[in-house]
Amino acid sequence: MAQERVMIFDTTLRDGEQSAGTGLTGEEKMEIARQLARLQVDVIEAGFAASSPGDFDAVQAIAREVEGPVIASLARAHQVDVDAAWNAIKDAAQPRIHVFLSSSEIHIAHQLRKNREEVLDLATSMVARARGYCDDVEFSPMDATRTDPEYLYQMLEAVIEAGARTVNIADTVGYAIPSDFGKLIAEIRHNVRNIDKATISVHCHNDLGLAVANSLAAVQAGARQVEGCINGIGERAGNASLEEIIMGLHTRRDLFNMTTGVDTTQIYSTSRMVSRITGMSIQANKSIVGDNAFRHASGIHQDGVLKERTTYEVMDPDTIGWAGNSLVLGKLSGRAGLRSRLEDLGYVLSNDDLVRVFDSFKVLADKKREVTDRDLEALMAEEMRVTLEPVTYELEHVQFSGGDHDIATATVRVVGPDGTVYSDAATGNGPVDAVCNAIDRAIHIPAKLVDFNVQSVTEGIDSLGQVSVRVQRDGSIYMGRGTDTDIVVASAKAYVSALNRLLAQEGVREIPEPLTTP
Ligand code: KIV
Ligand code: ZN
């Protein structure tokens, strides 16, 4: 029997970006969108155009540049949202407007404060408005899984009649369980008169840890589009993890008899890129892309895998483009070797960029005996951070001292936007605290450090340290990252990076009086 196709709809740049403190810049969203196109997802939801001028610009830039996938923008069922969505995506080769409106009684009564008829009218009139702009319109009844099924069927029938080509059954609060959700999809197919005129999509959140299981149950029941995010990031406990859905369908194709258009060998690099750019680390035992996903600790398992891989592995790591932790380069490696290895990892550099990256590589290779793929990825992340991030203040110098019997002290030098040098010193509860205090004293940007995370890139004692921090001001969270062989320096870079994002996103340029200008 011929295999049917399941469309993969990626919402990393919209629902994923909603995760607390992710706040990506337009350039960062573009980097991820280019990689999603290499992964060959069917649809990229590039953002929510009406939500902010920055998001509008990012969606528009992606629509203009990224080829291959359909480019979608989310829109509430408001005229201004639908119009903004269209204006942002109209230059895409394949634009899609994605309209959503709550359908559950609890949302209608408490959030929308309307009656069912009014909600139905709004849904159909906004779908019709979107159809006035383009053929490809998706409609999502929000909180569909807690909606009275009869009202849900009625709403789906009405929006399909109004022109929706895709209807997306949203488990907004992650309430469904697989058997019920599969049954709901089957009942929608049975009870919505014109359902053959639309593709059924599903959009599952992970509050009960069931988002992937629910999505796969829906595919078995007839859904032909699945929405999710790379690494399962997203609102609260996240969205369905797209790499798990793709590999579930692929690995158990005997059962599903379905294909996707995805190039699975791009999964690993996409996952690493999303983690690096969002600063959201991947737990070691995460399915498919976690560090331990293809590692065997037990002697019996190791013995089996060495004799025949399939004894304890249901997937070949090559299928997802997992390069392992192979030793690749060292201080004697040349520029050509570096270029070739970076290309294997998905980084295509201009000659000028290569010269710059090679300089950083040499500095790293001098500090570290072995430069692995992971180190190269971290190096590229730092390069991208430096070239893509908004830079108001640049960290020029960090010095610190401490010990178990000494008070930690630090001195920093930071260069401001007009070249002014700010420097100051501070003590702290440990060197990281001292460095952050010194930065605060030097550039006076009031913000609270609310999250601090250090990870080593590889196992060795000489490993690079990757630090991500979140700072808070006026209820908003801003993320920053830094990489260095010294974790205190990485922390200082991450802290300045978060402050730069804060300033860029607030559109503020706070230029304090220099306290000292050496
Ligand atoms: O979770 C949800 O309901 C959504 C909709 C906007 C599709 O993200
Ligand atoms: Zn969602």
Side-chain angles (χ1 to χ4, degrees):
M1 204 168 69
Q3 288 189 320
E4 271 191 72
R5 171 86 178 262
V6 179
M7 311 276 283
I8 299 296
F9 178 118
D10 180 281
T11 183
T12 306
L13 297 176
R14 199 278 298 168
D15 220 330
E17 216 231 353
Q18 265 166 244
S19 338
T22 296
L24 305 180
T25 65
E27 271 303 320
E28 288 169 334
K29 289 184 90 174
M30 179 64 89
E31 275 301 311
I32 293 178
R34 289 191 192 114
Q35 180 59 30
L36 291 170
R38 286 193 278 273
L39 180 65
Q40 294 175 29
V41 298
D42 297 286
V43 186
I44 296 174
E45 186 159 58
F48 185 174
S51 67
S52 70
D55 219 33
F56 180 95
D57 291 345
V59 176
Q60 186 174 58
I62 291 168
R64 288 180 173 167
E65 185 193 307
V66 176
E67 286 173 9
V70 170
I71 307 296
S73 171
L74 187 69
R76 286 168 301 178
H78 290 178
Q79 287 190 9
V80 280
D81 276 35
V82 173
D83 297 354
W86 173 243
N87 284 325
I89 58 165
K90 65 181 173 206
D91 294 333
Q94 303 176 78
R96 174 180 296 188
I97 301 177
H98 177 189
V99 181
F100 75 99
L101 184 60
S102 291
S103 55
S104 68
E105 210 49 49
I106 190 163
H107 281 207
I108 291 178
H110 298 291
Q111 201 175 11
L112 301 180
R113 302 207 171 118
K114 293 187 186 296
N115 63 40
R116 283 185 175 193
E117 287 66 40
E118 287 169 326
V119 171
L120 217 49
D121 278 355
L122 201 53
T124 51
S125 62
M126 288 306 115
V127 166
R129 186 175 184 90
R131 266 311 291 267
Y133 290 129
C134 72
D135 287 346
D136 191 350
V137 173
E138 170 168 334
F139 178 79
S140 296
M142 186 149 90
D143 204 17
T145 48
R146 293 192 301 168
T147 298
D148 167 10
E150 291 304 325
Y151 182 61
L152 182 62
Y153 307 148
Q154 196 187 350
M155 186 180 255
L156 295 177
E157 194 167 312
V159 294
I160 295 170
E161 187 67 38
R165 290 251 180 102
T166 304
V167 285
N168 180 40
I169 312 308
D171 186 26
T172 306
V173 291
Y175 178 71
I177 61 161
S179 53
D180 270 4
F181 196 53
K183 202 158 141 247
L184 176 64
I185 302 301
E187 281 170 4
I188 287 171
R189 291 180 69 198
H190 186 69
N191 290 300
V192 177
R193 187 187 43 81
N194 50 2
I195 196 69
D196 56 317
K197 300 210 167 48
T199 300
I200 300 180
S201 169
V202 288
H203 175 109
C204 298
H205 279 268
N206 207 27
D207 300 67
L208 293 174
L210 293 170
V212 170
N214 286 332
S215 306
L216 293 177
V219 168
Q220 286 188 301
R224 289 295 174 267
Q225 176 178 284
V226 180
E227 302 194 356
C229 295
I230 300 296
N231 300 337
I233 64 172
E235 192 73 34
R236 306 181 309 281
N239 286 65
S241 162
L242 271 190
E243 65 279 6
E244 293 177 21
I245 290 168
I246 294 162
M247 289 313 291
L249 292 170
H250 179 82
T251 307
R252 295 307 311 273
R253 51 195 181 278
D254 58 316
L255 189 75
F256 290 100
N257 195 30
M258 302 275 166
T259 55
T260 68
V262 166
D263 175 359
T264 60
T265 63
Q266 292 291 326
I267 286 179
Y268 188 71
S269 44
T270 311
S271 159
R272 306 293 308 178
M273 178 190 277
V274 168
S275 168
R276 273 195 316 269
I277 293 184
T278 59
M280 300 193 72
S281 42
I282 303 168
Q283 72 195 55
N285 61 331
K286 161 90 178 60
S287 312
I288 319 292
V289 291
D291 278 352
N292 293 349
F294 295 101
R295 270 190 193 155
H296 303 273
S298 131
I300 296 173
H301 290 205
Q302 287 171 350
D303 176 60
V305 168
L306 286 173
K307 289 177 176 146
E308 165 53 45
R309 188 189 59 74
T310 55
T311 49
Y312 290 95
E313 278 182 2
V314 295
M315 288 164 279
D316 183 340
D318 286 348
T319 319
I320 63 149
W322 192 76
N325 252 353
S326 48
L327 167 68
V328 279
L329 300 171
K331 66 197 254 184
L332 298 179
S333 306
R335 213 173 280 175
L338 176 65
R339 183 195 282 282
S340 138
R341 195 61 211 141
L342 286 174
E343 282 178 2
D344 288 346
L345 295 173
Y347 299 97
V348 182
L349 301 189
S350 68
N351 287 341
D352 285 353
D353 286 346
L354 181 67
V355 169
R356 216 188 42 253
V357 171
F358 188 65
D359 286 346
S360 313
F361 164 76
K362 280 291 184 193
V363 173
L364 177 63
D366 266 343
K367 290 187 188 165
K368 276 197 96 223
R369 219 164 17 95
E370 304 172 340
V371 179
T372 66
D373 287 350
R374 285 293 178 75
D375 292 319
L376 291 179
E377 285 180 336
L379 189 90
M380 287 308 297
E382 186 63 11
E383 284 297 315
M384 281 157 72
R385 184 184 72 76
V386 171
T387 48
L388 298 184
E389 248 182 31
V391 177
T392 307
Y393 293 97
E394 211 164 331
L395 186 70
E396 195 184 64
H397 176 77
V398 188
Q399 195 188 336
F400 53 88
S401 65
D404 58 354
H405 289 94
D406 297 313
I407 293 174
T409 58
T411 307
V412 296
R413 209 159 54 229
V414 181
V415 183
D418 57 359
T420 308
V421 177
Y422 305 94
S423 83
D424 215 317
T427 57
N429 187 12
V432 171
D433 190 39
V435 160
C436 293
N437 290 342
I439 293 169
D440 285 344
R441 284 175 60 97
I443 58 176
H444 307 290
I445 300 168
K448 190 170 167 223
L449 183 66
V450 289
D451 188 25
F452 175 81
N453 190 296
V454 191
Q455 271 197 313
S456 70
V457 173
T458 49
E459 284 92 352
I461 196 87
D462 58 352
S463 172
L464 279 172
Q466 259 178 337
V467 174
S468 62
V469 302
R470 287 175 210 279
V471 301
Q472 189 174 32
R473 175 148 102 182
D474 299 334
S476 296
I477 304 257
Y478 306 89
M479 182 267 299
R481 311 183 295 271
T483 306
D484 201 280
T485 45
D486 187 312
I487 58 161
V488 181
V489 177
S491 308
K493 287 181 182 174
Y495 190 54
V496 173
S497 138
L499 297 177
N500 278 330
R501 279 168 185 266
L502 178 157
L503 294 178
Q505 285 177 29
E506 285 189 347
V508 182
R509 289 284 177 273
E510 297 186 14
I511 304 174
E513 285 301 307
L515 295 176
T516 39
T517 40

